[in-house]
Amino acid sequence: MREFTYVSQAARVLFGAGTLARLREELERLSCSRAVVLTTAGQADLAARARELLGPLAAGAFTGAAMHTPTAVTEQALALVRELGADCVVAIGGGSTTGLSKALAVRTGLPQIVVPTTYAGSEVTPVLGETDNGVKTTRSSPAILPETVVYDVDLTLGLPVPLSVTSGVNAMAHAVEALYAPQADPVTDELALRSIALMSAALPRIAEDPADLESRADALQAAWLAGTCLGTVGMGLHHKLCHTLGGSFGLPHAETHTVVLPHAMAYNARAVPDVMRRIAEVLGAADAPAAVYDLVSALHGPVSLGGLGLREEDLAKAAELAGGASYPNPREVTADGVAALLRDAWEGRRPASESRALPTTALRTLTDQVVASFDGAPDPRVRRLLADLVRRLHGFVADNDLTEDEWRYAIGFLTRTGQLSSDTRQEFILLSDTLGVSSAVDLLTNSRTAESTPSAVLGPFYVEGPPPLPGGADISQGLAGTPLWTSVRITGTDGTALPDAVVDVWQSNDDGFYDVQLPDLDGPALRARFRSDAEGRVEFWSILPSAYPIPGDGPVGQMLDAAGRHHYRAPHLHFMISAPGRQRLITQLFVAGGAYQDSDTVFGVKDALIVDFPERGGPTPDGRALDGPWHSLDYTFRLAPETPR
Ligand code: BEZ
Ligand code: FE
């Protein structure tokens, strides 16, 4: 049975978009009529806006809030509060402004309305941290807890992504430490886990689209929940470390939280494996500390204390300060332990939780042995590729705690991929394509000159030695579709015509199948080999390409389904072009406005290869009689010289 004492913090919370407009109403609700508005200097415009909204209820503003709540700044603000005879404070901003508000409230007893613009969370806690002479002290009192919190999602839309990340991880730290606090209770546990889930999902979406209201709302809600945890239970080693680093070494608050959190988690993991397992579960990862580190680094957030400006020679002092004091933490805080933690955080190492240290050491030895087994390979390239492959595969196994069942499944998957592969069905190419590996190789090995036409993946449907056809021929072999007249020119990068180039073309039919997928078809269709004429031109009839699904009845299709990905390729025409003295070009032309252009399942679309295929009417260029509309494609391929200049 779990025993606990639960005390909730009384606060009035408004949450929504545009809620700042309700400031005056909230002030009146508190029977206040002389508000001092607080902001930092950088957010003085918000102070002006608040004063406007409050009208005669605004007595004045103090726009000098500063990080770590220095008592000297509080004294200045206090003088203004007294001079104006203020009867409440309205704080708009992040943790610094909220800190000032609390510092004033605890000295005057004035009620506070706090409007957070970051994910600091301190607006819902009765805790105040202040700095005096470089030393940060923390105290807790009911008078410190703000009476009203107005969450206005609109105010967070402009929070720059880097700040959103650090502020968001700062909030996450409250939730993490709440889960192993001595006073932890079931309500706080649920709030904490919900907060971590919301924040970890919202931050990547914010990085992608900082103005997305829903993601911003999720992050702000996560911050509120995390702050509520912080206000209900005590914090441990992580917060102590951050206060020390901030107060004594002037490191920035949210950034420091962001760097330290994964390391503090790794330190405590041994003592609270169950908490780490629950956090890992909501993060959808095997190892919670590593997952937090990975989240931060994927979002380009700070990962090292060195990067934040902490000098290496200050590490020992920091360890001494943070290790010295006694405070509740699930694992005993030792000087050596803290020193090692800080060293890892200073270097920005990806943490490995202690529970895995033993197998990790053995694994390193094993990996080294396997890598060394390639030392004798005569071809240095073979040696390098095999060694690196082994290192990465072992790392993959370790980082994901791969189980035997999972590895057996992977081997079965690859086996089925091989068994399905044949001359006409290349499941391995499909796998490479759908994992983006083909496009990655293409990106790094081709398209290197700005003047030449970009390349694109070959795909599995090219057949060696397509039927040679004369210029103007129809490659559709009578298959149904909207007629397409293609007229392309093959030139060098300087625009000079390349006659006698070999131009292979291939495409799918109207139903999305290549001829090799249609066993009843008699001979090749929708593929051909042309030669460019004296002007470097190739012309032919075919049909307008349409979007089509890649073959989905094999392991690759299963993989896409398991990932909830669609199977479709954007409509395109394939080309493989060779000319003497030129690099061979394998590419595709995509129909402008075609479906799936932004989500091509093989990641093959490049902007420069999206081309208009306009609808035409009337006579065709070669006088062919057509009943309905037809489309045309006009394009110039520029081939790079054989040896890049
Ligand atoms: C294709 O365009 O033919 C293709 C490319 C990659 C995978 C499947 C099909
Ligand atoms: Fe294709």
Side-chain angles (χ1 to χ4, degrees):
M1 186 187 66
R2 180 177 188 187
E3 294 186 356
F4 57 88
T5 306
Y6 173 67
V7 182
S8 66
Q9 300 288 348
R12 178 177 159 81
V13 173
L14 295 188
F15 193 100
T19 44
L20 185 67
R22 290 164 65 183
L23 210 49
R24 183 169 175 154
E25 187 185 318
E26 288 304 314
L27 211 81
E28 284 165 349
R29 200 184 165 86
L30 291 169
S31 308
C32 295
S33 57
R34 292 192 62 74
V36 166
V37 180
L38 309 175
T39 65
T40 58
Q43 289 187 312
D45 54 328
L46 279 177
R49 220 170 116 199
R51 287 180 76 171
E52 212 177 289
L53 285 165
L54 289 172
L57 305 193
F62 179 85
T63 57
M67 189 139 50
H68 303 309
T69 324
T71 46
V73 172
T74 302
E75 290 305 325
Q76 288 173 23
L78 192 58
L80 181 70
V81 164
R82 295 207 166 116
E83 184 191 319
L84 294 172
D87 62 3
C88 71
V89 288
V90 172
I92 311 177
S96 307
T97 312
T98 304
L100 175 60
S101 169
K102 290 171 162 185
L104 292 172
V106 78
R107 285 166 173 80
T108 59
L110 292 182
Q112 315 166 58
I113 298 179
V114 177
V115 187
T117 57
T118 69
Y119 308 131
S122 55
E123 62 278 1
V124 284
T125 75
V127 182
L128 166 65
E130 297 181 283
T131 327
D132 196 16
N133 283 329
V135 178
K136 190 158 187 169
T137 52
T138 305
R139 56 177 150 158
S140 181
S141 141
I144 291 172
L145 183 72
E147 278 66 13
T148 302
V149 182
V150 177
Y151 287 107
D152 185 344
V153 180
D154 285 349
L155 294 181
T156 65
L157 290 178
L159 193 64
V161 170
L163 206 62
S164 306
V165 171
T166 53
S167 186
V169 178
N170 180 13
M172 210 185 274
H174 307 151
V176 168
E177 291 229 293
L179 285 162
Y180 52 63
Q183 316 87 330
D185 61 76
V187 173
T188 311
D189 283 2
E190 291 310 311
L191 298 185
L193 288 169
R194 177 80 185 131
S195 170
I196 295 168
L198 272 176
M199 187 62 88
S200 60
L203 289 179
R205 299 196 326 253
I206 287 171
E208 214 168 89
D209 180 5
D212 179 53
L213 199 70
E214 288 306 319
S215 310
R216 289 293 188 179
D218 282 356
L220 195 57
Q221 195 183 316
W224 167 48
L225 297 177
T228 305
C229 297
L230 179 69
T232 317
V233 299
M235 298 284 118
L237 172 66
H238 168 81
H239 280 74
K240 178 65 192 171
L241 281 173
C242 293
H243 285 169
T244 303
L245 292 166
S248 304
F249 300 95
L251 295 197
H253 180 84
E255 286 88 338
T256 306
H257 273 276
T258 306
V259 173
V260 171
L261 181 61
H263 299 280
M265 288 170 74
Y267 184 86
N268 281 335
R270 184 166 72 176
V272 282
D274 211 46
V275 165
M276 292 304 154
R277 188 188 47 71
R278 295 182 77 187
I279 296 174
E281 230 166 62
V282 298
L283 293 175
D287 185 59
V292 171
Y293 179 94
D294 291 345
L295 176 72
V296 172
S297 71
L299 297 171
H300 308 293
V303 291
S304 87
L305 292 176
L308 296 187
L310 183 70
R311 296 175 315 166
E312 192 172 8
E313 54 268 34
D314 286 337
L315 279 175
K317 177 89 198 301
E320 190 190 317
L321 285 173
S326 85
Y327 45 89
N329 189 64
R331 184 179 156 197
E332 190 193 353
V333 179
T334 63
D336 283 355
V338 171
L341 184 169
L342 284 175
R343 160 71 51 186
D344 281 352
W346 188 80
E347 287 178 1
R349 240 187 246 152
R350 184 176 189 266
S353 60
E354 294 234 343
S355 59
R356 290 162 43 109
L358 217 98
T360 307
T361 310
L363 179 63
R364 207 172 295 143
T365 311
L366 172 69
T367 306
D368 289 344
Q369 265 177 355
V370 182
V371 167
S373 76
F374 301 120
D375 283 353
D379 183 335
R381 182 74 181 156
V382 168
R383 186 163 69 234
R384 188 204 145 108
L385 292 183
L386 284 174
D388 194 46
L389 182 67
V390 163
R391 280 202 193 285
R392 286 175 200 251
L393 279 177
H394 286 207
F396 173 80
V397 169
D399 290 350
N400 295 288
D401 275 332
L402 214 67
T403 64
E404 285 192 338
D405 278 351
E406 286 167 340
W407 187 235
R408 206 172 305 120
Y409 182 87
I411 288 180
F413 178 91
L414 292 174
T415 306
R416 283 182 284 128
T417 303
Q419 283 165 343
L420 194 61
S421 296
S422 68
D423 286 351
T424 52
R425 174 69 185 261
Q426 247 303 347
E427 192 74 356
F428 263 116
I429 294 187
L430 214 54
L431 182 59
S432 156
D433 293 341
T434 47
L435 292 178
V437 183
S438 307
S439 282
V441 174
D442 169 50
L443 213 63
L444 294 176
T445 53
N446 295 307
S447 309
R448 281 213 172 133
T449 64
E451 308 83 30
S452 57
T453 301
S455 52
V457 294
L458 174 68
F461 297 121
Y462 178 71
V463 177
E464 292 288 347
L469 290 180
D474 186 348
I475 69 170
S476 69
Q477 308 292 347
L479 292 176
T482 308
L484 171 69
W485 171 253
T486 296
S487 176
V488 293
R489 271 191 87 220
I490 320 297
T491 73
T493 42
D494 59 357
T496 44
L498 297 176
D500 212 30
V502 178
V503 180
D504 290 352
V505 296
W506 68 106
Q507 67 169 99
S508 59
N509 73 5
D510 217 26
D511 299 326
F513 293 108
Y514 283 80
D515 55 0
V516 290
Q517 297 173 287
L518 301 169
D520 295 339
L521 204 68
D522 197 14
L526 288 168
R527 66 175 73 240
R529 171 165 292 174
F530 295 99
R531 294 237 170 215
S532 59
D533 67 14
E535 273 79 52
R537 193 167 288 285
V538 164
E539 296 181 324
F540 60 92
W541 280 102
S542 70
I543 55 176
L544 195 62
S546 48
Y548 66 85
I550 62 169
D553 56 345
V556 171
Q558 282 171 0
M559 176 192 74
L560 296 180
D561 292 342
R565 273 173 55 178
H566 70 69
H567 292 200
Y568 282 83
R569 289 230 57 206
H572 61 273
L573 219 60
H574 292 266
F575 291 85
M576 182 190 286
I577 306 171
S578 313
R582 303 282 148 177
Q583 290 183 37
R584 185 175 70 171
L585 174 67
I586 297 173
T587 193
Q588 303 172 26
L589 295 180
F590 294 88
V591 183
Y596 305 107
Q597 225 140 58
D598 294 331
S599 66
D600 183 48
T601 195
V602 304
F603 309 95
V605 180
K606 292 179 181 168
D607 285 350
L609 298 174
I610 300 176
V611 183
D612 273 333
F613 285 55
E615 186 180 293
R616 309 291 279 267
T620 62
D622 64 346
R624 183 181 179 188
L626 284 178
D627 288 341
W630 50 282
H631 287 247
S632 70
L633 163 65
D634 210 323
Y635 192 78
T636 299
F637 292 101
R638 296 178 188 275
L639 270 54
E642 201 143 51
T643 327
R645 276 172 295 200

